[in-house]
Amino acid sequence: MNKLKFAVIGCGRISGNHIKAILDNFEDVELISVCDILKDRAEFKADEYLIKAQEKNIPAIRPNVYSDYREMLQKEDINVYVICTESGYHAEVSLYCLNLKKHVLVEKPMAMSLLDADRMIQTAQKNNVKLAVCYQNRFNPPIQKLRQAIDEGRFGQIFAGTARILWNRNKEYYYKAKWRGTWKLDGGCLINQCTHNIDLLQWMIGSKIDSIYGQTENYLHPYIQTEDYGSIIIKFKNGAIGNIEGTVCVYPKNLEETLTILGEKGTVVIGGVALNKILVWDFEDRQETLEKVQKEYDSEIENVYGNGNTPLYKDFIDSIRNNSAPLIDGKEGKKSLSIILMAYNSQKYSRAISYNKDLNISSEDFEGML
Ligand SMILES: NC(=O)c1ccc[n+]([C@@H]2O[C@H](COP(=O)([O-])OP(=O)(O)OC[C@H]3O[C@@H](n4cnc5c(N)ncnc54)[C@H](O)[C@@H]3O)[C@@H](O)[C@H]2O)c1
């Protein structure tokens, strides 16, 4: 079977994880070109791909380098575009590719507004191409095991879940890239740092949302526009309550990232640096001990982004080959974005917000809110 031809747009910090996932799936895909408006970053990425391929004895050709993604789309015959630009450009670049009938894998968050998210979903549908969003932690072995336990009904009724992301990001972090902490290109800690865990919480509860109450503040980062602390309570339609506490203010360093699921017959807590370790695993059915699941499912990771990109790519490749939906398609990717934008809305109007599928809000609507 022919390899799928990939290209990466945006060659900054996260792009290395995509290069790795492409190489890990080298039997199915190859990287044909890379693009960054800062051309030296794209040149660097092309070299990185070649060097890493050689290290793994994978036959590879140096990807072509571009500084204009439109020119790249015109000149190259690519199947899949991977969008790794700053978040505020995701929708514009994705829509350009989707409109030219190209498959798109976009970094999280897929967009900064629900209107843009909907446009992306509809454009992919209309052009019969796939759209996937990079929530790679869904593929972490402990997370997959938790999801399996839910699917098997081992929790009985799930009545609550909590996502806690208690991290530290300092001035140096925000000054390194000017787009961070801006409403237009990034959003606050809820959209940037907490979005993975929010996605997982709603995926585990697996219900539509009834209402959301949110409070956000900027406590310790006066040099950014957005919140550095957020608290959200979600009432799900199935009756469960979701709690989210996310911050980048923790002194003096990252303290915790956990996902807790509470059911009438089971309690699970997943933690570690990137939700890669099982901390609590307790079920009435006593199918296995904590030690057994830890031994089987805890994983070591190279960096805070975890190892999920490689299986996420495999899932996306399969979805293209089999014309099926990827695990995290546009509709799935939109769910955590909706929760966050509704929480901002709740803060703005000092009341709980009921879920309305036509809710049309954007992170820019909250400019100046704090
Ligand atoms: N999935 C994850 O765990 C994870 C982790 C970190 C970052 N991210 C996401 O990845 C995205 C990028 O983050 P980053 O830290 O790599 O940012 P970065 O600033 O390091 O890189 C972004 C790059 O995109 C380039 N770019 C901007 N506009 C472009 C255009 N029109 N064409 C080509 N290149 C363009 C910039 O020049 C820059 O090099 C963000 O949306 C972020 O939320 C995801």
Side-chain angles (χ1 to χ4, degrees):
M1 202 179 281
N2 285 345
K3 288 188 179 195
L4 289 171
K5 295 177 168 47
F6 273 56
V8 172
I9 303 178
C11 296
R13 211 167 56 116
I14 198 60
S15 59
N17 263 38
H18 293 271
I19 299 289
K20 179 178 181 302
I22 287 169
L23 287 170
D24 287 346
N25 285 284
F26 77 95
E27 284 176 350
D28 289 305
V29 304
E30 57 189 334
L31 184 63
I32 299 297
S33 55
V34 288
C35 172
D36 199 298
I37 43 172
L38 303 175
K39 203 167 179 193
D40 53 336
R41 288 194 179 183
E43 296 283 1
F44 185 83
K45 229 15 80 173
D47 288 340
E48 181 183 321
Y49 176 72
L50 209 53
I51 292 165
K52 295 224 159 123
Q54 280 161 0
E55 280 169 9
K56 295 180 178 195
N57 286 324
I58 296 170
I61 299 170
R62 189 177 191 269
N64 299 323
V65 170
Y66 292 87
S67 57
D68 179 348
Y69 69 87
R70 291 178 181 85
E71 185 192 340
M72 177 164 76
L73 270 111
Q74 211 174 42
K75 290 194 175 159
E76 300 280 1
D77 182 20
I78 302 287
N79 305 110
V80 181
Y81 282 90
V82 181
I83 318 289
C84 301
T85 63
E86 295 87 335
S87 308
Y89 301 132
H90 287 176
E92 177 192 322
V93 183
S94 298
L95 281 166
Y96 193 87
C97 300
L98 292 167
N99 271 317
L100 291 176
K101 299 192 188 330
K102 302 296 179 185
H103 304 294
V104 165
L105 170 60
V106 61
E107 262 300 346
K108 60 78 190 163
M110 64 187 290
M112 304 302 286
S113 75
L114 299 184
L115 188 64
D116 275 344
D118 284 338
R119 278 196 191 116
M120 291 161 70
I121 294 165
Q122 284 155 12
T123 307
Q125 267 168 359
K126 187 181 81 189
N127 290 324
N128 200 20
V129 287
K130 304 291 172 200
L131 167 65
V133 187
C134 198
Y135 284 113
Q136 74 274 11
N137 286 345
R138 282 206 196 184
F139 291 90
N140 292 358
I143 294 294
Q144 289 274 319
K145 179 68 179 163
L146 167 58
R147 178 61 204 220
Q148 186 192 345
I150 290 173
D151 288 343
E152 290 169 354
R154 295 179 63 190
F155 280 90
Q157 186 201 347
I158 292 177
F159 56 87
T162 300
R164 296 188 89 207
I165 310 93
L166 308 182
W167 284 356
N168 175 291
R169 293 289 180 275
N170 57 21
K171 208 180 224 173
E172 201 192 330
Y173 166 85
Y174 287 101
Y175 279 17
K176 238 183 221 164
K178 279 194 294 194
W179 62 277
R180 291 180 185 149
T182 61
W183 284 115
K184 192 170 182 296
L185 295 181
D186 188 15
C189 67
L190 289 172
I191 287 196
N192 188 327
Q193 281 79 20
C194 307
T195 177
H196 283 293
N197 213 343
I198 294 172
D199 171 63
L200 293 175
L201 175 67
Q202 70 77 27
W203 188 46
M204 296 302 171
I205 302 279
S207 161
K208 290 195 168 151
I209 289 164
D210 182 55
S211 61
I212 285 185
Y213 183 74
Q215 282 285 315
T216 60
E217 284 290 347
N218 183 321
Y219 284 119
L220 302 178
H221 298 76
Y223 41 85
I224 66 171
Q225 296 173 341
T226 56
E227 85 282 355
D228 59 15
Y229 183 95
S231 174
I232 305 175
I233 299 173
I234 309 171
K235 185 75 196 272
F236 288 93
K237 280 216 155 64
N238 69 2
I241 288 182
N243 303 286
I244 295 156
E245 185 186 29
T247 183
V248 284
C249 290
V250 172
Y251 176 83
K253 59 183 172 49
N254 287 0
L255 177 67
E256 173 181 340
E257 180 180 11
T258 53
L259 176 67
T260 302
I261 300 294
L262 304 178
E264 59 177 333
K265 296 174 185 170
T267 300
V268 169
V269 184
I270 311 284
V273 175
L275 297 167
N276 54 319
K277 307 257 181 205
I278 299 174
L279 307 183
V280 176
W281 189 268
D282 226 335
F283 285 98
E284 189 185 88
D285 63 25
R286 302 265 168 258
Q287 273 186 38
E288 66 276 276
T289 61
L290 172 65
E291 292 69 29
K292 183 169 183 295
V293 283
Q294 283 175 330
K295 200 163 165 230
E296 241 175 283
Y297 296 96
D298 281 6
S299 43
E300 297 309 321
I301 52 176
E302 274 176 33
N303 58 39
V304 290
Y305 312 128
N307 304 334
N309 270 26
T310 299
L312 181 140
Y313 267 66
K314 171 95 182 65
D315 174 74
F316 194 42
I317 294 159
D318 288 348
S319 83
I320 294 169
R321 296 243 195 256
N322 305 328
N323 194 17
S324 55
L327 178 65
I328 311 143
D329 63 7
K331 282 185 184 161
E332 281 298 300
K334 186 184 153 190
K335 288 178 179 172
S336 50
L337 179 67
S338 306
I339 290 171
I340 295 162
L341 293 178
M342 285 168 68
Y344 286 159
N345 230 25
S346 165
Q347 152 93 2
K348 186 170 178 178
Y349 297 111
S350 301
R351 62 176 170 81
I353 302 290
S354 292
Y355 189 75
N356 167 358
K357 78 176 174 49
D358 298 322
L359 205 65
N360 186 13
I361 46 180
S362 140
S363 72
E364 284 179 64
D365 294 341
F366 307 103
E367 203 140 359
M369 176 178 77
L370 296 173

